[in-house]
Amino acid sequence: MSTGQPLASGKSQIFESLLWFLPDWVQNTVLVLIVLALLATWVIRLRNKLARRRALRQPQPQPVPAMRYDQGSGADHLGPYAPQRRPEDSSA
């Protein structure tokens, strides 16, 4: 008793049952918004993929060496007025 027509999928049946009672202009608006959302996610993914690819091609900046605590600068830097470090006591 096959008519040759494929049966609608479960997703499309659920979608139609949610929208069948709405006016046509609302149904069309919802469909357009869904298509726009899908296109927007596709464009965002493509843009992020291209940005990632560009970032990998550009040379990476060299890391800045960390300053030691006794090489301060600005208001915290005592310079030649800093107290001299004592050698550590090795008898402990």
Side-chain angles (χ1 to χ4, degrees), residues 53-61:
R53 194 176 290 174
R54 278 191 208 116
L56 288 175
R57 288 183 181 174
Q58 291 179 353
Q60 299 296 321

Side-chain angles (χ1 to χ4, degrees), residues 25-86:
W25 67 272
V26 176
Q27 289 180 13
N28 292 337
T29 304
V30 168
L31 290 174
V32 167
L33 289 175
I34 290 172
V35 169
L36 285 176
L38 290 173
L39 286 176
T41 57
W42 181 74
V43 167
I44 289 171
R45 282 184 189 169
L46 184 63
R47 188 183 65 179
N48 289 343
K49 188 176 183 180
L50 290 174
R52 215 176 301 120
R53 194 176 290 174
R54 278 191 208 116
L56 288 175
R57 288 183 181 174
Q58 291 179 353
Q60 299 296 321
Q62 296 299 322
V64 177
M67 291 184 63
R68 293 182 14 204
Y69 66 92
D70 60 345
Q71 293 179 339
S73 63
D76 294 334
H77 183 56
L78 298 176
Y81 302 106
Q84 298 298 317
R85 302 186 104 198
R86 294 184 190 159

Side-chain angles (χ1 to χ4, degrees), residues 8-21:
S9 69
K11 291 179 191 176
S12 63
Q13 288 177 349
I14 292 171
F15 185 71
E16 288 176 9
S17 67
L18 291 175
L19 292 180
W20 71 271
F21 61 91

